[in-house]
Amino acid sequence: VLGASTGAAVAFIAARYLVADYLNARFSNPAWLWLREEIHSKGWKAVAFTRINPIFPFGPSSYFFGLTAIGFGNYFLTTVLSILPLSIAFAAVGHSIGSIVLEGDAYALLRNLLVVSLAVTAIVFLRVAMKKISQ
């Protein structure tokens, strides 16, 4: 989480301060303008959607958000909070599989499946909370 968040922040800042003015002036396509406006109006919800949904590549989207008007604080906090639950779940499952293979400890798998269930519940809760906040 620390590495991904730091990399996302560096990509965002690089895009924002090195190429944003040039690219935004060069691309005046209506679709590009519409997409930038949608990101600006949705704010942190757009970031959360792209971070939770694995169809969007993490690196390029970090650069893309640097080209929009979204604030760095909202972007960074949403990125960290969005990737944290799935990262915990992934680490827990990896650890439990290693425990079974190396130590024959099936209890670790059960415990980590419960952790994964908790992470999925947290993601669903975040989705419901975001929906309530937006209304």
Side-chain angles (χ1 to χ4, degrees):
V1 172
L2 181 63
S5 301
T6 303
V10 169
F12 180 93
I13 290 170
R16 169 79 41 103
Y17 295 107
L18 296 178
V19 297
D21 292 336
Y22 173 76
L23 290 177
N24 286 326
R26 182 152 173 107
F27 295 111
S28 59
N29 184 323
W32 174 253
L33 298 174
W34 172 82
L35 185 58
R36 286 188 58 225
E37 182 57 37
E38 284 296 309
I39 298 295
H40 181 68
S41 68
K42 302 292 189 264
W44 65 270
K45 292 180 249 178
V47 177
F49 178 75
T50 59
R51 294 301 186 214
I52 292 172
N53 192 339
I55 197 168
F56 296 102
F58 195 85
S61 64
S62 299
Y63 288 104
F64 170 74
F65 283 118
L67 302 177
T68 66
I70 191 167
F72 177 75
N74 285 335
Y75 165 78
F76 186 73
L77 183 62
T78 304
T79 295
V80 171
L81 294 177
S82 297
I83 64 174
L84 190 61
L86 290 176
S87 297
I88 291 170
F90 185 75
V93 169
H95 176 70
S96 66
I97 290 172
S99 295
I100 290 173
V101 171
L102 298 175
E103 302 166 9
D105 185 12
Y107 175 73
L109 177 62
L110 178 61
R111 182 185 67 234
N112 289 333
L113 285 175
L114 290 173
V115 169
V116 169
S117 298
L118 179 64
V120 170
T121 303
I123 291 169
V124 170
F125 178 75
L126 284 173
R127 168 75 171 106
V128 171
M130 286 189 285
K131 192 172 185 178
K132 291 284 185 188
I133 290 172
S134 67
Q135 291 177 351

